[in-house]
């Protein structure tokens, strides 16, 4: 029985994966980016490895999974990756099939008419363009885009069309290509779309690779001809031998792994490739306020997110860790999708994750698709402000009505009508002074009011009085209060 691995991330790789899904043929598919995984069909028969592998890691993966047949369906210009795959297969004694993309050199619409300049590399393309005037539309990808910064006035002349991922956009902006000069779009594109971009940006030279039909090469050439501009084409690295995607499908059809049930390769289930996200309640302050489990998990994290104050308070635990001062899913998720190398993730929350915490919404964000397939979440509780304050007051809190005015609207007097003991979290609008005024107004001027500020910190302060005696005092805007009859 064959165990099959497809190195994809290309149109050909997607076609082979789709075929395996349709035929209920269980295979591993290796892609180097999150986008490469996103374009694959969701299937119980496809087991995705979505991080790049070097030569040694490929060899280890092939050995560990018992792979007997490898399809190299990587990009025609990914010559180093193909070489690594070939070397890994040779050392493990595994059969390798190179899936090739038909070259369009010499085809109709790709004639040697003086408007197409063929070069052997991006470096040679840049060398040809040195001293040439006019704008450029560069469609050779983001990895070698930095080479075009050698051209005079590249910030004003170069328009780069790249994949619309956070990491790619950030890399392009870092080298100085940004704003309207950065076109983040996923192709391939029609002739009309290419023409529109050429005219919109007054392009004089279109730089591309001979990437075949799957890469929209002919459409680029026709658009360049229609607009009367010069196409600078980087030719294929070498004449490759191998099979087309259609020929590779026939090999798959004949393989002995036909209609393997997913359970037969359960040890490498999709869950085993999920990244671990732990939402951690840090208690009231520094490391001494955390549970032992929380400290242990933090020490194992590759990257930790949280409000800047919490990251600082974690102290030595986060020494040498990657730390980012973010606590919203809209910031955290895009960063994680662009940085697949971080496998173990921690997100810090003050107090307890189950007590008016942002942890609930964060869990919901990670459970939404497609993230639910990529991340496994765990929630660790912490010491809540209500339990801490009541312990400092030497009282229990089993009969306390829990109430939050932190970023919320509510009437503390109405809450006090329902219970003899009310705990509340406050904010800059619902301050101690504000609730004292409301309690006095409702006829509760002489109830007992305990105010906790900077709980667990060295400058912690707990003040007990009545709404009448505390109304005009100054308190921290993020205080916690316990109101008792």
């Amino acid at each position: 029985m064959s165990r099959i691995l497809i190195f994809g991330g290309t149109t050909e790789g997607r076609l082979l994966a789709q075929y395996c899904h349709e035929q209920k043929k269980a295979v591993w598919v290796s892609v180097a980016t999150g986008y490469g995984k996103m374009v694959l069909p969701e299937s119980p028969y496809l087991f995705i490895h979505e991080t790049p592998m070097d030569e040694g890691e490929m060899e280890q993966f092939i050995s560990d999974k018992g792979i007997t047949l490898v399809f190299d369906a990587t990009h025609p210009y990914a010559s180093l990756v193909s070489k690594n795959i070939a070397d890994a297969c040779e050392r493990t004694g595994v059969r390798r099939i190179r899936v090739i993309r038909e070259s369009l050199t010499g085809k109709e619409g790709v004639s040697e008419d003086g408007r197409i300049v063929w070069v052997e590399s991006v470096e040679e393309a840049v060398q040809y363009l040195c001293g040439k005037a006019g704008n450029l539309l560069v469609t050779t990808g983001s990895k070698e885009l930095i080479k075009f910064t050698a051209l005079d006035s590249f910030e004003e002349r170069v328009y780069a069309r790249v994949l619309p991922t956070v990491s790619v956009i950030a890399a392009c902006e870092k080298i100085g290509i940004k704003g309207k000069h950065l076109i983040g779009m996923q192709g391939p594109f029609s002739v009309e779309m290419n023409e529109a971009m050429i005219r919109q940006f007054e392009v004089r030279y279109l730089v591309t690779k001979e990437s075949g039909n799957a890469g929209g090469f002919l459409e680029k050439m026709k658009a360049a001809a229609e607009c009367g501009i010069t196409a600078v084409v980087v030719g294929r690295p070498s004449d490759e031998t191998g099979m087309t995607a259609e020929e590779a499908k026939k090999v798959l059809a004949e393989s002995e792994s036909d209609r393997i049930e997913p359970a037969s390769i359960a040890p490498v289930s999709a869950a085993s490739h999920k990244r671990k996200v732990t939402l951690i309640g840090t208690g009231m302050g520094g490391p001494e306020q955390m549970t032992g489990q929380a400290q242990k998990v933090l020490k194992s994290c590759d990257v930790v997110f949280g409000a800047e104050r919490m990251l600082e308070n974690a102290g030595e635990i986060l020494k040498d860790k990657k730390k980012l001062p973010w606590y919203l899913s809209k910031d955290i998720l895009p960063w994680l999708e662009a940085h697949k190398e971080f496998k173990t993730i921690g997100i810090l929350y003050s107090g307890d994750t189950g007590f008016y915490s942002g942890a609930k919404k964060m869990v919901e964000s990670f459970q939404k698709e497609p993230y639910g397939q990529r991340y496994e979440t765990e929630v660790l509780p912490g010491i809540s402000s209500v339990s801490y304050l009541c312990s400092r007051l030497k009282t229990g809190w089993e009969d306390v009505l829990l109430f939050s005015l932190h970023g919320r609207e509510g009437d503390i007097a109405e809450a006090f009508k329902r219970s003899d003991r009310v705990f509340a979290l406050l904010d800059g609008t619902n301050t101690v002074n504000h609730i004292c005024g409301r309690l006095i107004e409702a006829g509760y001027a002489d109830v007992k009011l305990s105010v906790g500020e900077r709980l667990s910190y060295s400058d912690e302060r707990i003040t007990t009085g009545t709404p009448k005696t505390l109304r005009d005092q100054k308190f921290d805007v993020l205080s916690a209060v316990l109101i008792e009859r």
Side-chain angles (χ1 to χ4, degrees):
M1 182 177 292
S2 298
R3 286 191 171 241
I4 298 169
L5 168 61
I6 300 170
F7 284 94
T10 57
T11 299
E12 292 78 14
R14 177 180 58 78
L15 290 173
L16 295 183
Q18 179 69 39
Y19 177 80
C20 291
H21 162 67
E22 293 169 354
Q23 299 299 313
K24 298 183 179 180
K25 190 183 296 290
V27 297
W28 283 273
V29 183
S30 174
V31 294
T33 65
Y35 179 81
K37 177 182 177 180
M38 187 173 66
V39 298
L40 295 173
E42 292 185 16
S43 170
Y45 299 96
L46 302 181
F47 297 84
I48 315 300
H49 183 281
E50 59 173 304
T51 53
M53 290 190 280
D54 60 25
E55 184 181 335
E57 290 168 331
M58 290 176 183
E59 184 178 347
Q60 187 68 47
F61 188 91
I62 289 170
S63 298
D64 289 348
K65 308 307 180 191
I67 302 298
T68 58
L69 177 59
V70 169
F71 289 88
D72 175 6
T74 57
H75 197 276
Y77 287 83
S79 53
L80 177 58
V81 177
S82 281
K83 181 180 184 303
N84 287 342
I85 294 170
D87 290 345
C89 288
E90 183 177 354
R91 280 196 297 273
T92 53
V94 170
R95 181 188 179 192
R96 177 187 70 95
I97 295 175
R98 175 62 173 144
V99 183
I100 60 173
R101 184 178 296 178
E102 183 185 11
S103 174
L104 298 177
T105 304
K107 297 280 186 178
E108 183 180 352
V110 193
S111 60
E112 303 283 350
D113 60 359
R115 289 197 179 277
I116 298 180
V117 175
W118 293 89
V119 294
E120 293 185 359
S121 64
V122 170
E123 291 87 348
E124 190 177 330
V126 172
Q127 185 178 7
Y128 168 79
L129 292 164
C130 280
K132 303 282 194 302
N135 294 341
L136 294 78
L137 177 58
V138 179
T139 66
T140 54
S142 61
K143 290 184 179 179
E144 297 181 282
L145 193 55
I146 192 171
K147 294 172 183 176
F148 291 90
T149 62
L151 299 174
D152 291 336
S153 305
F154 77 90
E155 303 99 325
E156 301 167 3
R157 297 176 53 213
V158 173
Y159 292 84
R161 194 163 72 192
V162 298
L163 286 174
T165 66
V166 174
S167 58
V168 168
I169 298 297
C172 293
E173 290 180 336
K174 187 175 181 180
I175 65 174
I177 298 177
K178 51 191 173 182
K180 69 177 183 180
H181 290 263
L182 190 55
I183 307 164
M185 297 178 70
Q186 170 61 36
F189 302 94
S190 65
V191 175
E192 293 75 17
M193 177 64 83
N194 285 312
E195 285 185 32
M197 289 187 186
I198 290 168
R199 294 194 169 99
Q200 170 71 26
F201 302 116
E202 299 180 346
V203 170
R204 180 68 186 84
Y205 296 92
L206 168 65
V207 187
T208 186
K209 293 179 177 179
E210 199 277 272
S211 52
N213 273 328
F217 179 66
L218 278 180
E219 287 78 5
K220 294 177 193 175
M221 295 300 98
K222 290 176 181 177
E226 286 292 327
C227 295
I229 68 169
T230 299
V232 181
V233 182
V234 180
R236 295 283 178 89
S238 61
D239 293 330
E240 288 189 303
T241 58
M243 297 182 179
T244 65
E246 290 304 312
E247 291 170 332
K249 286 181 185 178
K250 294 178 181 178
V251 176
L252 282 168
E254 296 168 359
S255 70
E256 295 178 5
S257 64
D258 196 18
R259 298 188 181 278
I260 300 174
E261 290 304 317
S264 68
I265 54 172
V268 282
S269 66
S272 67
H273 294 299
K274 285 187 175 183
R275 298 157 77 186
K276 181 67 177 291
V277 181
T278 308
L279 288 69
I280 303 168
T282 61
M284 297 295 96
E288 65 277 2
Q289 292 294 319
M290 296 182 195
T291 65
Q293 185 183 15
Q295 294 188 41
K296 182 179 179 181
V297 169
L298 275 179
K299 289 175 182 177
S300 69
C301 285
D302 300 324
V303 60
V304 180
F305 298 91
E308 195 165 349
R309 174 176 63 87
M310 280 181 279
L311 294 174
E312 291 174 357
N313 291 338
E316 288 295 307
I317 293 179
L318 299 186
K319 185 181 179 182
D320 302 324
K321 299 288 183 184
K322 177 75 174 176
K323 300 182 286 289
L324 292 170
W326 302 332
Y327 48 85
L328 299 177
S329 60
K330 70 179 183 66
D331 299 316
I332 293 174
L333 278 167
W335 191 91
L336 288 176
E337 289 296 286
H339 296 82
K340 308 285 188 187
E341 65 272 24
F342 294 92
K343 301 294 186 184
T344 310
I345 301 118
I347 306 176
L348 304 184
Y349 293 89
S350 63
D352 180 31
T353 48
F355 183 60
Y356 293 107
S357 171
K360 180 180 178 182
K361 287 188 176 179
M362 186 65 74
V363 168
E364 292 172 353
S365 297
F366 274 100
Q367 287 177 341
K368 290 178 181 177
E369 296 304 335
Y371 305 116
Q373 300 179 48
R374 303 173 189 172
Y375 300 92
E376 175 189 353
T377 55
E378 181 181 16
V379 181
L380 298 183
I383 301 172
S384 68
S385 52
V386 60
S387 63
Y388 183 91
L389 179 59
C390 286
S391 70
R392 297 288 283 120
L393 294 171
K394 299 180 175 60
T395 183
W397 58 281
E398 62 274 2
D399 58 344
V400 171
L401 173 64
L402 304 179
F403 196 65
S404 178
L405 290 169
H406 183 76
R408 299 164 178 254
E409 293 185 1
D411 188 341
I412 193 71
E414 288 298 318
F416 198 52
K417 287 179 183 179
R418 308 198 320 261
S419 175
D420 289 341
R421 306 179 80 210
V422 174
F423 173 89
L425 296 170
L426 307 183
D427 65 10
T429 301
N430 297 290
T431 62
V432 173
N433 312 97
H434 173 79
I435 69 164
C436 282
R438 178 68 187 105
L439 288 169
I440 292 170
E441 179 186 317
Y444 301 121
D446 296 313
V447 298
K448 183 180 178 181
L449 183 65
S450 300
V451 182
E453 304 169 80
R454 303 274 302 166
L455 296 176
S456 84
Y457 290 91
S458 58
D459 56 346
E460 170 186 289
R461 185 174 72 148
I462 297 176
T463 307
T464 299
T466 67
K468 190 189 304 181
T469 61
L470 300 181
R471 181 176 188 175
D472 296 324
Q473 294 188 32
K474 291 184 178 180
F475 296 94
D476 191 280
V477 294
L478 300 180
S479 297
V481 298
L482 179 66
I483 310 165
E484 302 172 275
R485 294 188 190 277

